[in-house]
mmCIF file of all heavy atoms in Angstrom:
data_model
loop_
_atom_site.group_PDB
_atom_site.id
_atom_site.type_symbol
_atom_site.label_atom_id
_atom_site.label_comp_id
_atom_site.label_asym_id
_atom_site.label_seq_id
_atom_site.Cartn_x
_atom_site.Cartn_y
_atom_site.Cartn_z
ATOM 1 N N ASP A 3 -16.395 12.188 7.612
ATOM 2 C CA ASP A 3 -16.198 10.807 7.180
ATOM 3 C C ASP A 3 -16.502 10.626 5.704
ATOM 4 O O ASP A 3 -15.824 9.895 5.000
ATOM 5 C CB ASP A 3 -17.097 9.869 7.993
ATOM 6 C CG ASP A 3 -16.435 9.437 9.291
ATOM 7 O OD1 ASP A 3 -15.303 9.864 9.543
ATOM 8 O OD2 ASP A 3 -17.061 8.668 10.010
ATOM 9 N N ARG A 4 -17.561 11.275 5.215
ATOM 10 C CA ARG A 4 -17.980 11.055 3.835
ATOM 11 C C ARG A 4 -16.925 11.529 2.847
ATOM 12 O O ARG A 4 -16.953 11.135 1.691
ATOM 13 C CB ARG A 4 -19.303 11.772 3.563
ATOM 14 C CG ARG A 4 -19.233 13.278 3.725
ATOM 15 C CD ARG A 4 -20.591 13.938 3.532
ATOM 16 N NE ARG A 4 -20.531 15.360 3.794
ATOM 17 C CZ ARG A 4 -20.140 16.257 2.904
ATOM 18 N NH1 ARG A 4 -19.775 15.878 1.693
ATOM 19 N NH2 ARG A 4 -20.114 17.540 3.212
ATOM 20 N N ALA A 6 -13.641 11.005 3.282
ATOM 21 C CA ALA A 6 -12.460 10.146 3.374
ATOM 22 C C ALA A 6 -12.563 9.015 2.365
ATOM 23 O O ALA A 6 -13.607 8.382 2.221
ATOM 24 C CB ALA A 6 -12.326 9.589 4.784
ATOM 25 N N LEU A 7 -11.463 8.755 1.660
ATOM 26 C CA LEU A 7 -11.422 7.639 0.723
ATOM 27 C C LEU A 7 -11.229 6.322 1.460
ATOM 28 O O LEU A 7 -11.797 5.288 1.089
ATOM 29 C CB LEU A 7 -10.301 7.847 -0.293
ATOM 30 C CG LEU A 7 -10.097 6.756 -1.337
ATOM 31 C CD1 LEU A 7 -11.368 6.553 -2.166
ATOM 32 C CD2 LEU A 7 -8.929 7.105 -2.248
ATOM 33 N N ILE A 8 -10.422 6.344 2.530
ATOM 34 C CA ILE A 8 -10.180 5.152 3.347
ATOM 35 C C ILE A 8 -10.560 5.477 4.783
ATOM 36 O O ILE A 8 -10.154 6.502 5.318
ATOM 37 C CB ILE A 8 -8.700 4.725 3.290
ATOM 38 C CG1 ILE A 8 -8.283 4.447 1.853
ATOM 39 C CG2 ILE A 8 -8.448 3.500 4.168
ATOM 40 C CD1 ILE A 8 -6.785 4.243 1.698
ATOM 41 N N ARG A 9 -11.341 4.593 5.387
ATOM 42 C CA ARG A 9 -11.754 4.790 6.779
ATOM 43 C C ARG A 9 -11.524 3.506 7.561
ATOM 44 O O ARG A 9 -12.024 2.454 7.176
ATOM 45 C CB ARG A 9 -13.241 5.178 6.859
ATOM 46 C CG ARG A 9 -13.561 6.568 6.309
ATOM 47 C CD ARG A 9 -15.056 6.793 6.279
ATOM 48 N NE ARG A 9 -15.689 6.041 5.198
ATOM 49 C CZ ARG A 9 -16.941 5.578 5.217
ATOM 50 N NH1 ARG A 9 -17.690 5.769 6.284
ATOM 51 N NH2 ARG A 9 -17.424 4.930 4.190
ATOM 52 N N VAL A 30 -7.984 8.467 5.595
ATOM 53 C CA VAL A 30 -7.068 8.927 4.553
ATOM 54 C C VAL A 30 -7.917 9.454 3.410
ATOM 55 O O VAL A 30 -8.849 8.788 2.961
ATOM 56 C CB VAL A 30 -6.152 7.793 4.048
ATOM 57 C CG1 VAL A 30 -5.198 8.316 2.984
ATOM 58 C CG2 VAL A 30 -5.371 7.177 5.209
ATOM 59 N N ILE A 64 -13.291 -1.554 7.832
ATOM 60 C CA ILE A 64 -12.441 -0.805 6.916
ATOM 61 C C ILE A 64 -13.240 -0.526 5.655
ATOM 62 O O ILE A 64 -13.777 -1.450 5.028
ATOM 63 C CB ILE A 64 -11.161 -1.590 6.566
ATOM 64 C CG1 ILE A 64 -10.310 -1.818 7.818
ATOM 65 C CG2 ILE A 64 -10.352 -0.849 5.500
ATOM 66 C CD1 ILE A 64 -9.128 -2.731 7.601
ATOM 67 N N TYR A 65 -13.310 0.753 5.296
ATOM 68 C CA TYR A 65 -14.013 1.158 4.081
ATOM 69 C C TYR A 65 -13.013 1.755 3.097
ATOM 70 O O TYR A 65 -12.168 2.567 3.473
ATOM 71 C CB TYR A 65 -15.078 2.220 4.391
ATOM 72 C CG TYR A 65 -16.207 1.748 5.268
ATOM 73 C CD1 TYR A 65 -16.101 1.815 6.660
ATOM 74 C CD2 TYR A 65 -17.386 1.246 4.717
ATOM 75 C CE1 TYR A 65 -17.130 1.380 7.480
ATOM 76 C CE2 TYR A 65 -18.428 0.815 5.535
ATOM 77 C CZ TYR A 65 -18.293 0.885 6.915
ATOM 78 O OH TYR A 65 -19.312 0.463 7.728
ATOM 79 N N VAL A 66 -13.114 1.348 1.853
ATOM 80 C CA VAL A 66 -12.392 1.992 0.760
ATOM 81 C C VAL A 66 -13.452 2.522 -0.193
ATOM 82 O O VAL A 66 -14.182 1.749 -0.814
ATOM 83 C CB VAL A 66 -11.440 1.028 0.035
ATOM 84 C CG1 VAL A 66 -10.792 1.729 -1.155
ATOM 85 C CG2 VAL A 66 -10.362 0.517 0.991
ATOM 86 N N GLY A 67 -13.546 3.834 -0.274
ATOM 87 C CA GLY A 67 -14.676 4.422 -0.987
ATOM 88 C C GLY A 67 -15.960 4.044 -0.269
ATOM 89 O O GLY A 67 -16.075 4.196 0.959
ATOM 90 N N ASP A 68 -16.898 3.501 -1.013
ATOM 91 C CA ASP A 68 -18.180 3.100 -0.421
ATOM 92 C C ASP A 68 -18.199 1.638 -0.005
ATOM 93 O O ASP A 68 -19.224 1.149 0.491
ATOM 94 C CB ASP A 68 -19.317 3.340 -1.423
ATOM 95 C CG ASP A 68 -19.498 4.807 -1.768
ATOM 96 O OD1 ASP A 68 -19.270 5.645 -0.879
ATOM 97 O OD2 ASP A 68 -19.843 5.110 -2.929
ATOM 98 N N HIS A 69 -17.076 0.935 -0.209
ATOM 99 C CA HIS A 69 -17.070 -0.514 0.016
ATOM 100 C C HIS A 69 -16.521 -0.866 1.389
ATOM 101 O O HIS A 69 -15.455 -0.392 1.788
ATOM 102 C CB HIS A 69 -16.250 -1.219 -1.062
ATOM 103 C CG HIS A 69 -16.775 -1.024 -2.446
ATOM 104 N ND1 HIS A 69 -17.999 -1.514 -2.852
ATOM 105 C CD2 HIS A 69 -16.252 -0.387 -3.525
ATOM 106 C CE1 HIS A 69 -18.206 -1.192 -4.116
ATOM 107 N NE2 HIS A 69 -17.165 -0.502 -4.546
ATOM 108 N N LEU A 70 -17.236 -1.724 2.097
ATOM 109 C CA LEU A 70 -16.761 -2.313 3.334
ATOM 110 C C LEU A 70 -15.876 -3.492 2.961
ATOM 111 O O LEU A 70 -16.352 -4.480 2.401
ATOM 112 C CB LEU A 70 -17.944 -2.768 4.191
ATOM 113 C CG LEU A 70 -17.640 -3.530 5.474
ATOM 114 C CD1 LEU A 70 -16.813 -2.692 6.433
ATOM 115 C CD2 LEU A 70 -18.938 -3.993 6.145
ATOM 116 N N MET A 71 -14.586 -3.384 3.229
ATOM 117 C CA MET A 71 -13.633 -4.378 2.745
ATOM 118 C C MET A 71 -13.829 -5.734 3.434
ATOM 119 O O MET A 71 -13.792 -5.836 4.659
ATOM 120 C CB MET A 71 -12.197 -3.899 2.961
ATOM 121 C CG MET A 71 -11.805 -2.705 2.108
ATOM 122 S SD MET A 71 -11.886 -3.033 0.325
ATOM 123 C CE MET A 71 -10.519 -4.195 0.134
ATOM 124 N N GLU A 95 -9.312 -2.395 -6.320
ATOM 125 C CA GLU A 95 -9.334 -0.973 -5.992
ATOM 126 C C GLU A 95 -8.137 -0.556 -5.140
ATOM 127 O O GLU A 95 -7.924 0.638 -4.908
ATOM 128 C CB GLU A 95 -10.630 -0.623 -5.234
ATOM 129 C CG GLU A 95 -11.908 -1.021 -5.942
ATOM 130 C CD GLU A 95 -12.132 -0.225 -7.211
ATOM 131 O OE1 GLU A 95 -11.658 0.917 -7.285
ATOM 132 O OE2 GLU A 95 -12.776 -0.760 -8.132
ATOM 133 N N VAL A 96 -7.380 -1.551 -4.647
ATOM 134 C CA VAL A 96 -6.303 -1.275 -3.688
ATOM 135 C C VAL A 96 -5.027 -1.952 -4.187
ATOM 136 O O VAL A 96 -4.823 -3.147 -3.981
ATOM 137 C CB VAL A 96 -6.664 -1.792 -2.279
ATOM 138 C CG1 VAL A 96 -5.584 -1.392 -1.273
ATOM 139 C CG2 VAL A 96 -8.021 -1.260 -1.839
ATOM 140 N N LYS A 173 -7.827 2.782 -6.661
ATOM 141 C CA LYS A 173 -8.140 4.054 -6.021
ATOM 142 C C LYS A 173 -7.031 4.480 -5.070
ATOM 143 O O LYS A 173 -6.858 5.668 -4.793
ATOM 144 C CB LYS A 173 -9.456 3.942 -5.242
ATOM 145 C CG LYS A 173 -10.693 3.779 -6.116
ATOM 146 C CD LYS A 173 -11.944 3.672 -5.254
ATOM 147 C CE LYS A 173 -13.190 3.542 -6.126
ATOM 148 N NZ LYS A 173 -14.417 3.362 -5.297
ATOM 149 N N VAL A 174 -6.313 3.494 -4.549
ATOM 150 C CA VAL A 174 -5.262 3.764 -3.570
ATOM 151 C C VAL A 174 -4.125 2.777 -3.793
ATOM 152 O O VAL A 174 -4.344 1.647 -4.233
ATOM 153 C CB VAL A 174 -5.815 3.653 -2.128
ATOM 154 C CG1 VAL A 174 -6.368 2.263 -1.863
ATOM 155 C CG2 VAL A 174 -4.757 4.014 -1.096
#
Side-chain angles (χ1 to χ4, degrees):
D3 273 0
R4 62 184 175 83
L7 179 59
I8 302 171
R9 291 173 286 151
V30 181
I64 297 173
Y65 295 88
V66 176
D68 296 326
H69 299 295
L70 174 61
M71 292 299 291
E95 305 293 332
V96 185
K173 291 180 179 177
V174 60

